[in-house]
């Protein structure tokens, strides 16, 4: 099951969105990849890289991974 959350701390600028999935391995940054309109993958990290100040991947022992980002201002 996928889980999506957004953390907002009072008095702190921005937010920390994250998504967790049971799949192992690290997602790939597609760089210059042009996803076709019907592709079901290939856009997530491209979007994160476009709006996040920083982001990362946290492994969850035997439970998959969580991709998180910090977004503090409009780019």
């Amino acid at each position: 099951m996928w889980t999506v959350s957004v953390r907002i701390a009072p008095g702190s600028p921005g937010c920390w969105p994250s998504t967790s999935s049971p799949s192992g391995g690290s997602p790939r940054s597609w760089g210059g990849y042009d996803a076709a309109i019907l592709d079901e993958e290939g856009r997530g990290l491209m979007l994160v890289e476009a709006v996040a100040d920083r982001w990362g991947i946290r492994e969850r022992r035997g439970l998959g991974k969580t991709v998180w980002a910090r977004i503090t201002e409009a780019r």
Side-chain angles (χ1 to χ4, degrees), residues 1 3-4 7 11 15-16 21-22 26-27 31 35 37 46 52 54 56 58-60 62 66-69 74-75:
M1 173 191 318
T3 304
V4 176
R7 190 176 78 209
C15 64
W16 295 81
S21 76
S26 294
I37 194 146
M46 179 182 68
R54 52 183 232 202
R58 185 173 52 246
E59 295 293 327
R60 300 173 1 185
T66 297
V67 177
W68 59 267
R75 290 184 173 224

Side-chain angles (χ1 to χ4, degrees), residues 59-73:
E59 295 293 327
R60 300 173 1 185
R61 293 184 190 136
L63 299 173
K65 64 182 171 296
T66 297
V67 177
W68 59 267
R70 184 181 89 176
I71 302 170
T72 57
E73 59 184 59

